[in-house]
Amino acid sequence: MDLPDLLPLFPLPGHVLLPGLAVPFRIFEPRYRALVRDLLAVRAERRWLAVPCLAPGSDPAADAPPFLPLAAAALLREARGLEGLGHPGEFLIVVEGLVRCRLREEADPTTPYRWARPQVLPDLAVAGDLDAALSGLVDQVARLGRRLGAGADQLMGLLENRDERFADRLGALLIAEPAERQDFLACLDPLARAARIAAVLTTLERRTRGGREPSAN
């Protein structure tokens, strides 16, 4: 990934952005309105930002609350002003997490928002059959989707792109708890991530069967 040397920060309380899926956010705080305006002033492919989770127990209203250093670097994909809806200066944005990185904050007194220097965290070398693991996830998703019917449209939509980021997209959709999302973000082993998602899907399958163990068929 061609990341800039410095990334503007959009820290969030109680939310961990994962690579894989685009996510909407409403931007109302003045410093982050300025961040969006500044990003819109550059070319689309340069609209990078980092979205770290604030450290548990920190005050999101503080000037510089501590954040967890492991985060997703993301691109601003869409931004729409909300003036017409009675919220002048606010934005509805869509960002897509793309790469895991470790952040080291850097001071910049010229902007109201914060900055950090990213260190990209590449995946570890795969010591196993990742294709087989991903194929297993595809089968699990298909089975679960058939059981859930129309309620699984978003899940089933992920089957349209079954590349090496398939497990990440599933994690971004299926893992809800912030601590579990942060743990998944920190996992640099693609096979281990696939195994975690397989376990999540197995649990969901079990729930659709009323608590019974899934059959072997």
Side-chain angles (χ1 to χ4, degrees):
M1 291 289 179
D2 185 22
L3 286 180
D5 291 337
L6 291 174
L7 294 176
L9 299 183
F10 177 42
L12 293 172
H15 179 77
V16 177
L17 181 70
L18 291 174
L21 291 181
V23 181
F25 298 102
R26 181 177 170 183
I27 304 300
F28 55 87
E29 194 173 341
R31 54 182 160 180
Y32 300 126
R33 295 186 202 177
L35 168 58
V36 173
R37 291 194 299 268
D38 289 347
L39 288 176
L40 292 176
V42 302
R43 299 192 311 273
E45 68 272 16
R46 303 301 295 167
R47 293 173 183 169
W48 285 98
L49 68 160
V51 187
C53 182
L54 291 182
S58 60
D59 179 4
D63 287 339
F67 57 82
L68 302 179
L70 190 67
L75 275 173
L76 176 68
R77 294 299 194 189
E78 299 176 31
R80 178 168 63 91
L82 298 179
E83 288 82 0
L85 298 177
H87 302 285
E90 297 185 12
F91 293 93
L92 181 65
I93 67 170
V94 176
V95 301
E96 181 183 0
L98 291 174
V99 61
R100 291 166 167 82
C101 64
R102 187 173 300 279
L103 302 173
R104 188 182 76 227
E105 188 165 9
E106 298 275 347
D108 184 342
T110 66
T111 65
Y113 48 86
R114 300 156 75 185
W115 295 80
R117 189 174 300 277
Q119 175 194 357
V120 173
L121 300 175
D123 280 343
L124 301 175
V126 176
D129 192 342
L130 182 59
D131 287 341
L134 295 178
S135 294
L137 294 181
V138 169
D139 292 342
Q140 284 187 278
V141 168
R143 286 198 306 271
L144 183 60
R146 287 193 296 269
R147 296 188 66 83
L148 295 176
D153 288 349
Q154 187 177 11
L155 176 64
M156 294 296 283
L158 298 185
L159 292 176
E160 297 175 4
N161 191 351
R162 309 175 188 183
D163 61 13
E164 66 279 359
R165 299 182 64 201
F166 184 57
D168 271 347
R169 282 190 284 273
L170 287 170
L173 179 64
L174 298 176
I175 301 174
E177 290 298 321
E180 294 178 12
R181 290 174 70 89
Q182 188 71 32
D183 192 47
F184 188 77
L185 180 68
C187 181
L188 302 181
D189 182 341
L191 271 176
R193 293 201 300 268
R196 292 186 188 197
I197 298 305
V200 171
L201 289 166
T202 296
T203 298
L204 292 174
E205 283 188 88
R206 185 181 300 121
R207 289 174 181 170
T208 66
R209 295 170 182 269
R212 298 189 302 273
E213 291 292 333
S215 70
N217 296 325

